[in-house]
Amino acid sequence: MTDWLVFQSADIAASRVLQHAPTRMAPFDFPFISDWVNRSHHYGWPYVFKLYWFWKGSLTQSPSNSSPKERSGVTTRYWDCCKPSCAWSGKAAVSSPVRTCNSQQQVISDANTKSGCDGGTAFTCANNQPWAVSNTLAYGFAAVKLSGYTESQWCCQCYQLTFTSGPASGKVMIVQATNTGGDLGSNHFDILMPGGGVGLFNGCTAQYGSWNGGAQYGGVSSKSQCANLPSIVQSGCNWRFDWFSGSDNPSVNWKAVQCPSALTSISGCTRNSQAGGAPGTGGSTGGGGTTSTSRSSGGGGGSGAPLYVTDEDDIGQCGGTGWYSF
């Protein structure tokens, strides 16, 4: 009877301490508890209470709500004009699929419209190109593939990338995942930037009538070549050589963050439950390029992507040095 009262007291105390923590029920481990009862005869009830409290605490902590930790990753670049994966319905629990645009940059309302890379009329909107918010902070969109996660978890989630190599080292970019790369490696962010290379599929000719975007993988090799692209996407191409300082597939440290409204207003997609904390504001590293906290979300832009790599239009592309090595 004494042992029972001890554990009743321990359970009540532990529950009160942890009542505000996210809970995840687990089966009651009677053999384990019985062992604690036996130990109580030798060590006393305070020892048992302490062990029980930590055991219950370990069961009630929710991994999805833990503090975000940075992980290392790699980046590449692409701009294939295809309908992004997260633009299809049913990919994740979101407000609506990522927006797509037709060849006149008008937003398409039907999420089931066929991709322009598969003979349809849905393309990546021009306003999915990256832009500088400040000398040390930029916003944009990306195709991703993350170890231990699935498309339903990363579709329309935002991530903070801190570049750790190359001329952009120390700068920060917040990207919203709008596509899934079937040809990407682990913890890989394929950043959308015009003139970044079309990769396996080229929907740009169908969308713009002609496309002179440089090499299939890697795209243009100088800022002057950005002038060969349609005028509506030249600013995103220039961004690569201005704010991004011509970086070629830099490594990153990344973590999930809440999406800035400047990104979700373009993509039209917000997760019902976002992971991570508030996004950073960049460091003190110098930089360049026009800065702005927002970009138009109307015609001439659109957004990102969801998942299910089952069709060619669902596969993100990558380019730049080492694109094939991951």
Side-chain angles (χ1 to χ4, degrees), residues 89-107:
S89 59
K91 291 301 185 75
V94 295
S95 60
S96 62
V98 169
R99 292 174 181 145
T100 58
C101 290
N102 60 24
S103 58
Q104 286 77 45
Q105 295 301 321
Q106 297 169 327
V107 174

Side-chain angles (χ1 to χ4, degrees), residues 272-289:
N272 295 345
S273 178
Q274 296 187 61
T281 57
S284 58
T285 304

Side-chain angles (χ1 to χ4, degrees), residues 38-314:
N38 293 332
R39 288 173 182 267
S40 71
H41 296 303
H42 299 283
Y43 299 105
W45 72 264
Y47 170 82
V48 178
F49 170 78
K50 185 175 182 180
L51 282 180
Y52 178 72
W53 188 87
F54 280 110
W55 173 70
K56 184 168 182 176
S58 68
L59 292 180
T60 58
Q61 297 308 307
S62 173
S64 62
N65 290 314
S66 60
S67 299
K69 295 182 179 179
E70 284 194 331
R71 300 170 64 180
S72 60
V74 297
T75 67
T76 45
R77 59 183 180 269
Y78 85 109
W79 186 274
D80 61 6
C81 300
C82 298
K83 177 180 181 176
S85 175
C86 297
W88 296 96
S89 59
K91 291 301 185 75
V94 295
S95 60
S96 62
V98 169
R99 292 174 181 145
T100 58
C101 290
N102 60 24
S103 58
Q104 286 77 45
Q105 295 301 321
Q106 297 169 327
V107 174
I108 295 174
S109 59
D110 184 2
N112 295 315
T113 301
K114 199 172 185 180
S115 172
C117 288
D118 193 29
T121 58
F123 301 92
T124 296
C125 296
N127 65 358
N128 281 201
Q129 56 194 306
W131 75 95
V133 175
S134 70
N135 286 339
T136 56
L137 177 66
Y139 287 167
F141 301 90
V144 306
K145 188 175 183 181
L146 304 177
S147 177
Y149 297 87
T150 64
E151 181 178 53
S152 64
Q153 293 172 294
W154 66 59
C155 225
C156 295
Q157 174 64 46
C158 284
Y159 298 93
Q160 178 173 305
L161 311 182
T162 301
F163 298 104
T164 57
S165 67
S169 182
K171 292 186 176 184
V172 173
M173 184 176 190
I174 309 298
V175 297
Q176 186 178 34
T178 55
N179 206 356
T180 295
D183 55 349
L184 302 185
S186 178
N187 296 323
H188 190 157
F189 295 85
D190 203 10
I191 303 173
L192 261 177
M193 59 182 83
V198 296
L200 292 174
F201 306 105
N202 180 4
C204 298
T205 300
Q207 185 177 19
Y208 294 101
S210 64
W211 187 259
N212 188 5
Q216 180 180 3
Y217 294 100
V220 301
S221 57
S222 67
K223 183 177 179 178
S224 61
Q225 292 180 346
C226 292
N228 297 328
L229 299 178
S231 60
I232 196 171
V233 293
Q234 288 182 15
S235 63
C237 181
N238 290 331
W239 171 91
R240 174 180 155 201
F241 300 97
D242 294 333
W243 188 92
F244 209 38
S245 303
S247 298
D248 191 19
N249 299 347
S251 57
V252 293
N253 287 332
W254 64 273
K255 64 180 180 179
V257 295
Q258 300 286 309
C259 283
S261 60
L263 289 175
T264 57
S265 65
I266 292 173
S267 69
C269 184
T270 302
R271 292 188 63 84
N272 295 345
S273 178
Q274 296 187 61
T281 57
S284 58
T285 304
T290 303
T291 61
S292 174
T293 57
S294 63
R295 183 181 291 276
S296 171
S297 60
S303 175
L307 204 353
Y308 287 144
V309 183
T310 55
D311 300 307
E312 65 178 21
D313 53 296
D314 292 331

